[in-house]
Amino acid sequence: MAVLPVTRFAPSPTGWLHLGHAFSALFAYQSALAHGGRFLLRIEDIDFTRCRREFETDLLDDLTWLGLEWEWPVRRQAEHLQEYALVASSLQKRGLLYPCFCTRREILKEIESAGGAPHGSEGPLYPGLCRNLSEDERQSRIAAGQSFALRLDLAKAREVCGDKLEWVDLEQGTQKAQPELLGDVVLVRKDIGCSYHLAVVHDDALQGVTRVTRGMDLWEATHLHRLLQALLGLEVPDYHHHTLLTDSSGRRLAKRDNAETLRSLRQQGFSAAELKARLARWQAGSPE
Ligand code: GLU
C-alpha cells in the first residue's frame, strides 16, 4: 500500500511572509493534499536574535487567508531547545562535534591569508582552524570562559557513515549525498545553543514528515541533512525542491529586501484567488 505523504511548511518568523513563501507553502500543501496526505506547519523560531512573536501571529493569518489548513498543535521549535541540546550532546559524546572558538573575523582573516576557500550556500567553508586543537587546549579555553560553537567533524562523520549515502529528489532523482558542500558546519551556534540543521532534521523525523518540500536555496543543506539522518539513525524522507521566485530583474525574493508581503497584499484588498493565479502565471513562465 502506498504511504500517504506527510509534508510541512516550516517558516521562520523573522519578517513578513512574501510571495515566495506563499508559493512554497502552497507547494507543500498541494503536494500532501493531492495525494490524500497530511500537512503540518512548524514554526522555526530558535533564532531569538531575529524571530519575533508578531511575525508568527501574522504568518498564521497569512496562511489562513491563503486557504491552508494544518494540524494542531503547531510545533514551535523554541519550546524544544532541550531536545535539540540532547541530540547535540549525543553527537558530541561520539566525538562527532568539536568546539570552535573562532570569531567571524578570524575565519575571514584565515581564508584571506590562505588565498580563499571553497564556497557553499552558507558562505565560504570553514578552513578548519579549531579542528585539530588538542583536548588540553580545548579544555583550557573553555575553562577561561571563551565562547564556542560546536562544529560537525565531517571527516569523522564520514568514517562512521561512509560515502555512499543517497537521497531522492522527486524531480531530479537519486542524489549521492555530498555533505562536503557545506564542510564542517556549525551544529550548535554560540549565540542560540542550537542550529537550523540540527533542529530541522530532528523535527522532520519526529513529526513523521515523509516528504520535505523546500526551495532550491536549501539543496546543499539537504546533502548535509542526509548525513545527519544517518548519524542519528533517523528515517529518510523524500525531497522535492522547487525553484525560487525572482523579481523582474531575476533576483530571488527575500524578506530583507521588502519583497511584496502577503500582509500588504491582504491589506490592499487582493484575494487569495488572485494571488494564486499570479503564482500560477509565474510558474508557467509569464510573471505579472
Ligand atoms: N525554516 C526554513 C526557512 O524559513 C525552512 C525549513 C526547511 O525547509 O527546511 O528557510
Side-chain angles (χ1 to χ4, degrees), residues 9 17 21-23 25-30 33 39 41 58-72 262 266 270-276 279:
F9 178 55
L17 295 190
H21 295 107
F23 179 77
L26 287 163
F27 190 88
Y29 189 67
Q30 281 150 9
L33 281 253
F39 174 72
L41 174 68
D58 199 76
L59 76 83
L60 296 176
D61 291 345
D62 286 341
L63 297 177
T64 303
W65 173 75
L66 268 180
L68 304 197
E69 287 174 21
W70 54 88
E71 294 182 12
W72 289 87
L262 301 189
R266 274 198 280 133
F270 278 90
S271 72
E274 282 168 313
L275 178 96
K276 286 179 193 171
L279 291 174

Side-chain angles (χ1 to χ4, degrees), residues 108-127:
L108 290 178
K109 211 168 134 213
E110 171 69 14
I111 291 173
E112 216 174 87
S113 66
H119 252 71
S121 53
E122 297 181 359
L125 301 197
Y126 180 62

